[in-house]
């Protein structure tokens, strides 16, 4: 103790205490000033304090209960880019904390809401349109993937988005995994043009070939660090309408006695399957029952575009593992059918949620996939009284998907080794707490961190930022990490976003 008191660092901290307190008062004063200034220029329906008509429903609308536990000083509800420009000018000059919310599905606490700061909610910017002359789709930030499929179904097109209908466009900024991705790339690889409001309020339009091409590339994986996107123009995929049943597939459910076999099948699929018409999502679920016992099962979602059955040479192993026949559903499907087969799984809103991730290369030993499942099973068994559900999900990233990213000028996360392209598997762990439980117990959090630390991971492959834990240093795993850091310095030289908004570490 004596030694600690004489340490110069400690004295520095003590000397600065009154200053810190002062600076936080000053922060609060600045937020009120910024909100008042904004309300004077944009009015009371665009800038709302906690008495405003849309304030409460916005706060409680976040998917993760943890992200409803915030009280922004005011919320900005832009109707057009210029409102975001005005808001960012104030946020920047008054130097205050802020957050941005689109579809509200971030599992990372504080990444889409803020205390004593300003929230920009895109709630009222949700236009979707198809431009046949450019063959592109224009999405405003509040669009959710299900809405985009519904709105464009009659025109036979869809964006590459997500797999669950209720998730929003924040998905694009982290990369974006869709069942269309093996054929058409990560969702972000389909950008054509982005309108971006930079930290100081400047509006720029970024494309693959204009003076903002570096920003354009950084926004394919750079998450919320590089600016506020107010308009996405993306490639239109000709997916067909509801009656065009060009796909075949659905889901197979397996009992926990098949877990090792399913994990091995995922490993071999990731390594061997290169046909871009095939897409899968395999997940293991632990569901708590009221008597604190667990139900365990695995689900394989298997899809193939172009045949009236699942090709044996691709899906044979999944088809032969002992399954629960009465839960198996395989049939002819259109793209809209697939888009709506994974509706928001219950439980959704009202539950505390956490994400964590790892990644395994396709050329790893099958036993590493089995190990991930076993370690997750140990975790869920150890804490079975403390959660509602937990899911461990595997998404193979085939070579075709990686190639598309490269052909279109590259994204931020792809490996920078050009010679041999190795497929890999993005692995995601979700924990859903019981309804209304406001935080995870320290013991369970420790167990979760132990899982993150112990789970096998292949080096040289990118973690998937949208599905990791807030503390995992994902950017560091990106092949274009150096490029990302340089581009960040260029577009945010005062490191405003690092200081004033929560998001991924590492820049
Ligand atoms: C049930 C569920 C299913 C999922 N399924 C998939 C899936 O199939 N494929 C997949 O790839 N991912 C999936 N995800 C992960 C998903 O990609 C992320 O949760 C994503 O960040 C959600 O985006 P959002 O707009 O809904 O959320 P938000 O919380 O609103 O946004 C996410 C992050 O992006 C930032 N952001 C949002 N919009 C902007 C903008 N316009 N400008 C700047 N920053 C912005 C936010 O500040 C926040 O940090 C799923 C998540 C959930 C909860
Ligand atoms: C949506 O965008 C299209 C194309 O820009 C435009 O014609 C339409 O008026 C917009 N709709 C709304 C409700 O703003
Ligand atoms: C599905 O396959 C058909 C040809 O078999 C192709 O024309 C179509 O573009 C594919 N759909 C998608 C969404 O890639
Ligand atoms: C499957 O789950 C049951 C019920 O939770 C459990 O008793 C059994 O040990 C599990 N079997 C395996 C192989 O994990
Ligand atoms: C899990 O959450 C769902 C949806 O909120 C609820 O119906 C179910 O009863 C919960 N299960 C437990 C064991 O709490
Ligand atoms: C199983 O989980 C518990 C709780 O987190 C942990 O203490 C233990 O080390 C884990 N066992 C293995 C083999 O990982
Ligand atoms: C390539 O990526 C590795 C990390 O995967 C990194 O160490 C190296 O600096 C990168 N090289 C270039 C030229 O970006």
């Amino acid at each position: 103790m004596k030694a600690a008191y004489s340490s110069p660092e400690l004295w520095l901290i003590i000397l600065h205490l009154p200053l810190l307190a002062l600076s936080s008062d000053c922060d609060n004063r600045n937020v009120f000033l910024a909100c008042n200034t904004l309300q004077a220029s944009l009015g009371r329906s665009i800038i709302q304090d906690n008495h405003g008509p849309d304030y409460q429903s916005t706060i409680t609308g976040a998917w993760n209960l943890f992200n409803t536990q915030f009280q922004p000083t005011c919320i900005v509800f832009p109707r057009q880019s210029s409102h975001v420009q005005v808001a960012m000018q104030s946020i920047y000059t008054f130097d205050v904390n802020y957050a941005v919310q689109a579809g509200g599905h971030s599992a990372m606490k504080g990444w889409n809401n803020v205390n004593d700061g300003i929230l920009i909610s895109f709630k009222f910017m949700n236009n979707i349109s198809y431009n046949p002359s450019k063959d592109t789709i224009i999405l405003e930030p509040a669009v959710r993937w299900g809405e985009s499929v519904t709105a464009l179904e009659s025109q036979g097109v869809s964006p590459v988005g997500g797999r669950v209908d209720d998730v929003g466009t924040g998905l694009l900024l982290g990369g974006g995994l869709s069942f269309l991705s093996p054929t058409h790339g990560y969702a972000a690889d389909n950008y054509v043009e982005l309108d971006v409001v930079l930290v100081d309020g400047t509006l720029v339009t970024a494309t693959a070939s204009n003076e903002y091409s570096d920003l354009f590339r950084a926004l394919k994986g750079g998450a919320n660090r590089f600016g506020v996107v107010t308009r996405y123009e993306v490639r239109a995929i000709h997916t067909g309408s509801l009656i065009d049943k060009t796909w075949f597939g659905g889901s197979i459910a397996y009992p926990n006695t098949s877990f090792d076999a399913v994990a091995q099948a995922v490993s071999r699929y990731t390594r061997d399957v290169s046909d871009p018409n095939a897409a899968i999502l395999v997940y293991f679920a632990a569901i708590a029952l009221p008597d604190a016992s667990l139900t365990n099962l695995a689900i394989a979602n298997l899809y193939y575009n172009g045949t009236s059955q699942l090709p044996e040479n691709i899906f044979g192993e999944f088809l032969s593992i002992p399954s629960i026949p009465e839960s198996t559903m395989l049939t002819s499907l259109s793209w809209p059918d697939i888009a709506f087969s994974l509706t928001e799984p219950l439980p959704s809103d009202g539950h505390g949620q956490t994400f964590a991730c790892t990644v395994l290369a396709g050329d790893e030993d099958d036993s590493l996939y089995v190990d991930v499942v076993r370690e997750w099973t140990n975790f869920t068994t150890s804490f079975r009284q403390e959660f509602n559900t937990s899911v461990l999900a595997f998404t193979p990233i085939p070579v075709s998907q990686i190639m598309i990213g490269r052909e279109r000028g590259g994204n931020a996360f792809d490996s920078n080794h050009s010679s041999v392209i190795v497929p890999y598997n993005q692995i995601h762990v979700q924990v859903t707490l019981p309804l209304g439980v406001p935080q995870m117990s320290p013991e369970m959090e420790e167990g979760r961190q132990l899982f993150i630390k112990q789970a096998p991971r292949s080096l040289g492959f990118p973690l998937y930022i949208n599905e990791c834990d807030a503390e995992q240093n994902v950017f560091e795993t990106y092949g274009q990490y150096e490029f990302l850091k340089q581009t960040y310095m260029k577009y945010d030289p005062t490191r405003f976003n690092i200081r004033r908004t929560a998001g991924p570490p590492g820049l």
Side-chain angles (χ1 to χ4, degrees):
M1 283 308 267
K2 258 212 165 94
Y5 275 111
S6 62
S7 109
E9 288 86 342
L10 192 78
W11 279 112
L12 270 177
I13 291 169
I14 291 170
L15 285 173
H16 279 85
L17 271 179
L19 254 179
L20 285 176
L22 232 177
S23 95
S24 134
D25 276 355
C26 177
D27 271 11
N28 275 334
R29 212 181 53 226
N30 275 359
V31 182
F32 281 107
L33 282 173
C35 286
N36 286 339
T37 310
L38 282 170
Q39 206 163 52
S41 61
L42 295 175
R44 288 180 177 273
S45 74
I46 296 177
I47 310 297
Q48 296 184 17
D49 62 18
N50 62 1
H51 302 297
D54 305 298
Y55 182 100
Q56 270 320 318
S57 63
T58 302
I59 299 304
T60 54
W63 172 76
N64 185 355
L65 178 70
F66 300 154
N67 278 328
T68 66
Q69 301 162 336
F70 290 83
Q71 284 285 327
T73 306
C74 63
I75 306 183
V76 182
F77 293 100
R79 269 54 173 191
Q80 58 194 56
S81 299
S82 68
H83 300 158
V84 178
Q85 289 187 265
V86 174
M88 283 312 300
Q89 276 156 11
S90 271
I91 289 167
Y92 190 70
T93 41
F94 286 100
D95 195 17
V96 299
N97 293 334
Y98 80 105
V100 177
Q101 190 168 133
H105 273 67
S106 179
M108 284 58 109
K109 185 175 180 178
W111 287 20
N112 67 14
N113 207 345
V114 63
N115 276 327
D116 302 324
I118 296 179
L119 174 64
I120 299 174
S121 164
F122 277 110
K123 196 173 218 161
F124 299 109
M125 282 179 72
N126 54 7
N127 195 1
I128 307 164
S129 63
Y130 172 53
N131 178 346
S133 66
K134 282 180 82 181
D135 203 16
T136 57
I137 292 166
I138 292 134
L139 302 164
E140 286 189 335
V143 170
R144 294 166 193 254
W145 300 117
E147 293 169 352
S148 73
V149 174
T150 304
L152 301 171
E153 185 270 335
S154 64
Q155 294 167 87
V157 294
S158 291
V160 180
R163 295 166 298 200
V164 176
D165 61 343
D166 205 33
V167 175
T169 53
L171 168 144
L172 292 164
L173 299 172
L177 298 168
S178 160
F179 293 122
L180 295 172
S181 292
T183 331
H184 300 282
Y186 276 93
D189 292 328
N190 290 278
Y191 289 161
V192 173
E193 202 174 277
L194 302 172
D195 286 353
V196 192
V197 176
L198 303 178
V199 278
D200 65 357
T202 313
L203 175 68
V204 305
T205 298
T207 71
S209 55
N210 74 3
E211 61 180 305
Y212 303 108
S213 61
D214 50 359
L215 179 64
F216 184 78
R217 184 179 193 184
L219 286 165
K220 302 179 191 177
N224 67 346
R225 286 307 193 200
F226 288 79
V228 184
V229 178
T230 56
R231 173 181 167 272
Y232 299 88
E233 183 172 354
V234 300
R235 286 166 187 254
I237 309 301
H238 291 258
T239 44
S241 69
L242 208 46
I243 55 166
D244 299 314
K245 308 225 182 248
T246 67
W247 296 74
F248 191 88
S251 61
I252 303 181
Y254 304 94
N256 66 347
T257 44
S258 291
F259 275 16
D260 286 2
V262 174
Q264 284 160 359
V266 171
S267 173
R268 289 193 274 264
Y269 180 100
T270 307
R271 179 168 56 236
D272 298 334
V273 173
S274 57
D275 185 338
N277 294 313
I280 71 170
L281 167 66
V282 177
Y283 63 91
F284 298 78
I287 303 161
L289 300 176
D291 67 356
S293 66
L294 281 186
T295 297
N296 284 305
L297 78 167
I299 308 273
N301 289 104
L302 312 171
Y303 302 105
Y304 193 84
N305 177 31
T307 47
S308 55
Q309 56 182 18
L310 287 176
E312 182 67 25
N313 62 330
I314 294 176
F315 300 104
E317 193 169 348
F318 286 109
L319 294 168
S320 65
I321 295 169
S323 62
I324 309 169
E326 61 273 24
S327 304
T328 294
M329 286 182 306
L330 299 172
T331 179
S332 289
L333 297 160
S334 65
W335 175 249
D337 289 335
I338 295 174
F340 289 109
S341 60
L342 291 182
T343 51
E344 182 82 45
L346 285 173
S348 60
D349 299 1
H351 294 263
Q353 309 272 0
T354 63
F355 280 3
C357 70
T358 185
V359 60
L360 283 178
D363 60 4
E364 294 283 11
D365 196 278
D366 297 343
S367 67
L368 293 188
Y369 287 73
V370 174
D371 284 350
V372 174
V373 175
R374 287 190 183 163
E375 286 176 22
W376 170 80
T377 304
N378 176 51
F379 166 73
T380 56
T381 310
S382 304
F383 296 99
R384 65 182 172 279
Q385 274 138 339
E386 297 191 39
F387 64 84
N388 179 291
T389 42
S390 179
V391 167
L392 170 70
F394 289 82
T395 304
I397 312 297
V399 170
S400 55
Q401 182 170 338
I402 300 167
M403 287 300 296
I404 287 161
R406 292 192 184 183
E407 283 159 14
R408 298 186 184 162
N411 50 42
F413 42 83
D414 188 11
S415 141
N416 57 16
H417 307 290
S418 52
S419 46
V420 188
I421 303 183
V422 179
Y424 56 94
N425 200 302
Q426 295 288 14
I427 303 169
H428 167 228
V429 177
Q430 178 175 340
V431 177
T432 302
L433 295 188
L435 193 68
V437 171
Q439 64 188 42
M440 188 174 279
S441 74
E443 295 76 22
M444 188 177 191
E445 178 56 19
E446 199 180 308
R448 206 174 67 85
Q449 292 300 336
L450 180 73
F451 170 84
I452 295 173
K453 203 165 130 226
Q454 285 187 345
R457 174 158 82 85
S458 305
L459 298 179
F461 293 83
L463 293 172
Y464 181 40
I465 202 153
N466 285 345
E467 299 189 332
C468 291
D469 182 69
E471 308 290 318
Q472 288 184 275
N473 195 333
V474 174
F475 287 149
E476 201 176 76
T477 69
Y478 282 14
Q480 306 303 321
Y481 186 40
E482 289 308 317
F483 161 81
L484 204 67
K485 282 195 284 195
Q486 282 162 19
T487 309
Y488 181 65
M489 257 192 319
K490 179 173 162 191
Y491 287 94
D492 187 5
T494 68
R495 302 178 66 74
F496 186 77
N497 277 339
I498 301 279
R499 288 186 287 115
R500 290 306 189 183
T501 197
L507 285 180

